[in-house]
Amino acid sequence: KANAEIMAKNAKIDNLNTLLKQARADTAAGNYAAAIKAMSDATTAKPDESILWDALGDAQLNDAVAADNASKAAKTADPSVAVKLAAAVTSYQKTISVNAASDKPNAETAAVANNQLGSALGRLGKSQEAAAAYDAAATADPKGAAKYYFNEAVTLYNASVATGKVDGLVDAADKAIAADPTKSEAYYLKTQGLAPLITMGPDGKSFIAPPGLVDACNMYLKLAPAGVHAADIKGLLAGLNEQVQTNFKAPPTTPAKKK
């Protein structure tokens, strides 16, 4: 009887592994409906396995993104996008809670799921909740903090384009810069959070830049003198009558050690 139970358990695990492998392949190939069906069945069969919920969330998120891109291309609104994103959010939240409740919580699983959760929440317009998810990803995986904080800054920047509000953008960019001071795009995002705070001088003709704006502009140009935003940054500095600094040399990077 004991052997039969072990064999049944192993067979179930083998079946779930097969479903997981196929679902990942289907997601990569754009067969989202098949991947969602497979992982829905898998999470029903074994709801205490975080990796299954994560794979389900990935299929749902990619399905939502594809539907959103298609609706934008057709210049139509697709109400199913929000529903699909909400489903992905639920799956990622389940991933995180199941992983945390396991005997051996996996930091990488927590980081990846929070990063994807941030993406789904950002697309739903819940930018501050998304920022919290990215912060959680960085806490779980400090080595990947630069990536997670940059994703946070991008999400808040996209929100600012849609709403005109730059809440949290500068702080997120500063965290990304602290984690990787050589990433030019992080400085650009910081300028976009600070530029709306420019004020008119007392003479009514000149402009006063908020603290940090000019430095961020110059750092971007030093790191990416021919970058895609270089012309815009130079124009911003010109409007502020600030000089472009060009004598910067990036610090050498330390090669990663093999483990």
Side-chain angles (χ1 to χ4, degrees):
K1 181 178 179 180
N3 287 339
E5 290 177 351
I6 292 172
M7 290 177 67
K9 183 177 181 180
N10 288 340
K12 181 178 180 181
I13 292 173
D14 287 342
N15 181 55
L16 291 175
N17 283 335
T18 299
L19 285 174
L20 177 61
K21 183 178 180 180
Q22 184 59 50
R24 286 173 169 170
D26 283 334
T27 297
N31 300 324
Y32 306 123
I36 291 170
K37 174 64 168 60
M39 286 299 93
S40 293
D41 291 344
T43 53
T44 298
K46 191 168 176 54
D48 61 343
E49 185 57 64
S50 61
I51 196 170
L52 301 177
W53 288 104
D54 188 58
L56 176 57
D58 286 346
Q60 292 166 327
L61 178 57
N62 279 279
D63 186 33
V65 171
D68 189 36
N69 290 339
S71 67
K72 288 178 179 177
K75 297 182 179 180
T76 59
D78 184 351
S80 75
V81 172
V83 176
K84 292 175 178 179
L85 286 171
V89 166
T90 298
S91 293
Y92 288 129
Q93 289 173 333
K94 191 69 175 179
T95 303
I96 295 163
S97 62
V98 168
N99 178 59
S102 67
D103 293 336
K104 295 182 179 180
N106 186 289
E108 182 179 358
T109 297
V112 170
N114 271 295
N115 182 63
Q116 294 294 81
L117 174 60
S119 178
L121 288 168
R123 288 178 174 274
L124 278 171
K126 299 180 179 181
S127 55
Q128 296 307 313
E129 291 179 40
Y134 288 123
D135 285 344
T139 298
D141 177 23
K143 292 183 178 179
K147 175 179 69 175
Y148 304 129
Y149 287 139
F150 181 74
N151 289 345
E152 179 179 337
V154 170
T155 296
L156 292 174
Y157 168 71
N158 290 337
S160 75
V161 172
T163 65
K165 299 179 180 180
V166 294
D167 299 349
L169 175 52
V170 174
D171 287 341
D174 277 338
K175 288 185 290 188
I177 290 167
D180 181 4
T182 66
K183 193 173 183 65
S184 61
E185 289 297 306
Y187 292 97
Y188 172 74
L189 292 172
K190 182 174 181 176
T191 69
Q192 299 309 291
L194 290 172
L197 306 181
I198 295 172
T199 57
M200 184 70 70
D203 59 4
K205 298 179 181 179
S206 61
F207 296 98
I208 300 175
L213 175 57
V214 173
D215 288 342
C217 287
N218 279 314
M219 283 300 297
Y220 175 84
L221 293 173
K222 290 169 183 177
L223 291 169
V228 294
H229 307 295
D232 291 338
I233 294 296
K234 289 178 181 178
L236 177 57
L237 287 173
L240 294 169
N241 293 316
E242 293 287 344
Q243 182 179 1
V244 177
Q245 304 295 320
T246 59
N247 59 350
F248 174 80
K249 291 184 179 180
T253 57
T254 302
K257 295 181 180 180
K258 294 183 179 180
K259 294 184 179 180

